[in-house]
Amino acid sequence: MTAEPKKRDLLEISSLQDQDIQTIFKAAKIFSESPDQTFDLLKGITLVNAFFENSTRTRMSFELAARRVSAQILSFQSTGSSVKKGESFLDTIRNIEALKPQAIVVRHASAGSPHFLAKRIRIPVINAGDGFHEHPTQALLDAFTIQQQRGPIAGKNILIIGDIAHSRVARSNIALLKRLGAKVFVSGPPTLLPPHPEVLGVQASILPDGFLPKADVVMMLRIQHERHEGTQVPNLSEYAYYWGMNEKRAGLLKKDAIIMHPGPINQGVEIDNAVADGPLSVVLDQVANGVFVRMAVLAWVCRPENLERVVAK
Ligand code: CP
């Protein structure tokens, strides 16, 4: 009896070898150079976007990415589905699997839910954000954007400000950026910092201003109200005063620093409108690059040999 080939899940950054990360970046760069082109990489493949938590960017970006690599994509959102009649997460996914897609993209509010699924279904699972655990494609698109805007990540000082403790974006970015050779700093109110940041291999400070002059990249994060009970900061204007990225704080940065935010933004809380729309901001580049990176990720999962052909050209 021949063994079934091992499926490729993308559950977290550690699912990727260094070579995989470089292949995804190389392919994303090629896709970004022909942004209107449709590539014939996943012809005949059907994908499912299964979103059990709200999303704008990630869901639309996976949909567009699927179309740009010639796959069909079905979109499921738990709102308006039979989940509301009591159908379980696993039953929902098993029924979706019975429709015979070749891979599934999953977002869920519970950390570890893509891992739970990956062990129970036969098709590859791509994590589109699981609770406070990880959001690997966000980190890939963030790192790709840094490289595109400012060159190699090795040696860069990257400061992440905000709700580090509850942020899947922070967790995936720390894992990826450190692997790529960056030095990562984090800052936020004590209630929003992890209890032992040194375990993540980062340097932490409650207040960000000491880190700002040496930062090459500053990532601003939203307070993840949906992931904590009650309020973890005294009030939002006090938060904005100490941790918000405003023009005064942006003035402490190097002239060639960039400011990032994964979205959605709470303007006037973690970032002011003038900065989010200002010259240092690459927020919309992140969104645009999400499509190119996810085209590469979908091909890496479903047809790695086709992706290799793209980057070998
Ligand atoms: N960055 C991000 O995950 O945004 P959405 O929640 O809109 O998908």
Side-chain angles (χ1 to χ4, degrees):
M1 199 173 83
T2 48
E4 273 190 43
K6 195 168 156 18
K7 67 184 172 116
R8 270 188 165 176
D9 300 303
L10 176 53
L11 304 179
E12 55 206 351
I13 289 299
S14 65
S15 304
L16 297 164
Q17 304 293 317
D18 292 348
Q19 185 57 44
D20 299 326
I21 295 168
Q22 293 314 324
T23 300
I24 288 168
F25 287 162
K26 272 189 207 158
K29 182 165 186 297
I30 292 166
F31 299 146
S32 72
E33 286 161 357
S34 304
D36 300 323
Q37 192 178 330
T38 298
F39 293 79
D40 222 6
L41 301 178
L42 298 190
K43 216 167 179 166
I45 296 272
T46 301
L47 304 166
V48 172
N49 247 353
F51 278 62
F52 293 80
E53 198 191 49
N54 296 342
S55 170
T56 298
R57 281 148 289 270
T58 312
R59 188 171 60 78
M60 293 184 72
S61 168
F62 267 114
E63 281 185 21
L64 192 51
R67 292 190 186 126
R68 292 264 171 84
V69 289
S70 308
Q72 293 190 54
I73 186 152
L74 302 172
S75 256
F76 165 88
Q77 282 177 269
S78 55
T79 321
S81 77
S82 290
V83 169
K84 298 292 170 203
K85 300 177 198 163
E87 191 165 31
S88 75
F89 175 51
L90 184 57
D91 277 349
T92 302
I93 297 292
R94 281 204 171 125
N95 278 271
I96 290 173
E97 191 184 23
L99 299 172
K100 307 284 183 215
Q102 276 78 30
I104 186 159
V105 178
V106 177
R107 168 170 287 193
H108 199 283
S110 297
S113 39
H115 302 67
F116 170 85
L117 279 188
K119 291 196 189 103
R120 288 166 177 81
I121 62 175
R122 296 160 70 94
I123 57 173
V125 176
I126 300 172
N127 181 1
D130 61 325
F132 56 74
H133 174 237
E134 282 222 26
H135 192 351
T137 59
Q138 179 70 45
L140 287 165
L141 76 89
D142 288 341
F144 178 77
T145 303
I146 295 169
Q147 285 188 178
Q148 178 195 60
Q149 299 290 324
R150 292 294 182 267
I153 284 170
K156 292 238 177 336
N157 291 326
I158 300 182
L159 169 60
I160 310 179
I161 303 177
D163 186 357
I164 313 296
H166 306 95
S167 171
R168 55 195 178 205
V169 174
R171 222 169 301 282
S172 286
N173 261 304
I174 291 168
L176 179 59
L177 294 169
K178 282 180 54 64
R179 256 175 79 180
L180 296 172
K183 205 162 176 193
V184 181
F185 302 84
V186 299
S187 172
T191 46
L192 301 183
L193 285 178
H196 295 286
E198 67 282 358
V199 172
L200 299 172
V202 299
Q203 199 179 320
S205 161
I206 292 171
L207 295 175
D209 294 359
F211 288 145
L212 291 173
K214 64 179 172 191
D216 299 295
V217 176
V218 184
M219 285 186 188
M220 304 306 300
L221 298 179
R222 184 174 68 86
I223 302 175
Q224 313 274 310
H225 292 291
E226 69 276 29
R227 287 194 244 294
H228 26 92
E229 285 174 13
T231 178
Q232 308 264 332
V233 290
N235 67 63
L236 293 182
S237 29
E238 190 173 304
Y239 181 87
Y241 180 79
Y242 286 107
W243 291 281
M245 183 54 73
N246 49 34
E247 284 186 302
K248 187 168 166 225
R249 205 158 263 133
L252 298 175
L253 293 168
K254 296 187 209 176
K255 293 275 172 288
D256 62 349
I258 55 172
I259 297 174
M260 309 180 79
H261 193 306
I265 285 176
N266 292 305
Q267 291 196 338
V269 182
E270 72 271 8
I271 189 164
D272 281 1
N273 295 15
V275 179
D277 298 336
L280 304 185
S281 170
V282 297
V283 170
L284 295 180
D285 298 286
Q286 290 172 261
V287 178
N289 287 333
V291 176
F292 310 129
V293 166
R294 290 180 175 120
M295 289 165 74
V297 164
L298 292 173
W300 177 81
V301 166
C302 298
R303 289 277 186 273
E305 65 284 5
N306 289 354
L307 194 66
E308 290 297 343
R309 264 204 300 278
V310 167
V311 300
K313 274 186 189 161

